[in-house]
Amino acid sequence: MKKNYCLLFAALFGMLAVILGAFGAHGLEKLVDAHSLQRFHTGVEYQFYHSLALGLVGLLEQQQARAGYRWAGWAFIVGILLFSGSLYAYALTGQAGFGMITPLGGLAFIFGWGLLAWQSWHIKN
């Protein structure tokens, strides 16, 4: 049986979002200012939303192995790494250069949602 990387990454990213969310809620407020804490929270929020989307893509791909679903999944993975990852790095280090990476992650999210819509529209029964 073929491994479903979308479901694997969805589970791992979802678990990590819970861990990072707990860290942000119970330990980070002592280390960073309110603006950085909000930035970190935004990273967790988008990671969690897109972990769920990635899980959906994984389930759809199990039903119908289509390239559009696979590419949407990889776009969500890249988006989580770039968008949320850059926000975590920016919040924890204060280095504004990380903020320049965030829009690339946003574009990956948009691309993933577009691919998901396109593939869903082009399903042949």
Side-chain angles (χ1 to χ4, degrees), residues 7-94:
L7 287 177
L8 172 65
F9 278 102
L12 293 174
F13 282 143
M15 179 182 69
L16 187 59
V18 172
I19 292 167
L20 290 171
F23 171 66
H26 301 292
L28 193 57
E29 72 272 357
K30 296 174 183 103
L31 302 174
V32 299
D33 62 24
H35 191 73
S36 293
L37 190 61
Q38 181 57 44
R39 191 175 289 129
F40 190 88
H41 174 74
T42 299
V44 171
E45 191 175 354
Y46 274 74
Q47 179 174 336
F48 191 67
Y49 293 151
H50 288 89
S51 295
L52 293 174
L54 190 54
L56 170 66
V57 169
L59 293 174
L60 290 169
E61 191 178 13
Q62 272 186 331
Q63 291 178 345
Q64 292 187 333
R66 305 262 189 225
Y69 291 141
R70 191 173 324 105
W71 284 105
W74 284 110
F76 288 145
I77 291 168
V78 168
I80 290 169
L81 293 172
L82 294 179
F83 186 90
S84 295
S86 65
L87 287 176
Y88 300 146
Y90 190 8
L92 294 171
T93 67

